[in-house]
Amino acid sequence: MSSFTHKNLTDLEDAAAKHGFGDGFASRFGHEDLECSQTGFSLQRLDPGRQLPFAHRHSEAEEVYVVIAGSGRMLLNEDVIDLKRLDAVRVSPGVTRSLEAGDDGLEYLVFGPRVKGDGETTQVQWPS
């Protein structure tokens, strides 16, 4: 393995489309393409007004979400926070999270340790 790997994130496979979630949502995971041994990360995009079709949580991995374009909201257990460009949100293990794009869409990066099999998806339940 080389001491570095260089890829453009837009060239990575869209996992959302691959798994039937591609309508208004794109998700490109880079850990394999960049040959990461410990780091997990993804580039994700939600079209304007769209919500993630699920929520998820990790039992071990802490994640950091960084908004790179647009705005929206993030559901963290029962709390909802507003997001704008360059906001960063650290999410502890055990916290259920989901996202919703604002009128201008939402594009964000997610970083954390790669813990294979650690993620659990659930139904999303936004408060009224």
Side-chain angles (χ1 to χ4, degrees):
M1 180 168 61
S2 172
S3 62
F4 70 91
T5 308
H6 175 221
K7 300 279 182 180
N8 187 292
L9 297 181
T10 60
D11 294 335
L12 304 180
E13 179 180 30
D14 182 358
K18 177 181 177 181
H19 296 288
F21 296 111
D23 185 28
F25 173 47
S27 184
R28 302 175 191 285
F29 291 89
H31 61 275
E32 288 181 14
D33 288 299
L34 281 168
E35 302 172 324
C36 296
S37 61
Q38 300 175 27
T39 305
F41 74 96
S42 63
L43 169 64
Q44 303 199 23
R45 181 190 44 76
L46 281 165
D47 286 350
R50 299 299 299 240
Q51 290 181 342
L52 284 178
F54 53 83
H56 83 281
R57 65 179 159 257
H58 297 279
S59 59
E60 294 182 43
E62 173 183 75
E63 290 184 320
V64 174
Y65 291 70
V66 180
V67 177
I68 56 176
S71 64
R73 301 185 315 152
M74 187 172 199
L75 175 66
L76 300 156
N77 288 334
E78 297 84 30
D79 296 317
V80 177
I81 60 172
D82 292 325
L83 299 173
K84 65 182 183 314
R85 185 177 173 273
L86 297 182
D87 278 354
V89 180
R90 179 198 55 82
V91 183
S92 294
V95 174
T96 301
R97 78 282 321 249
S98 192
L99 290 110
E100 174 183 65
D103 293 339
D104 46 356
L106 182 63
E107 190 169 16
Y108 55 98
L109 296 168
V110 184
F111 297 91
R114 176 77 176 137
V115 182
K116 190 171 178 137
D118 182 42
E120 174 189 1
T121 60
T122 64
Q123 294 288 329
V124 64
Q125 301 253 327
W126 287 85
S128 306

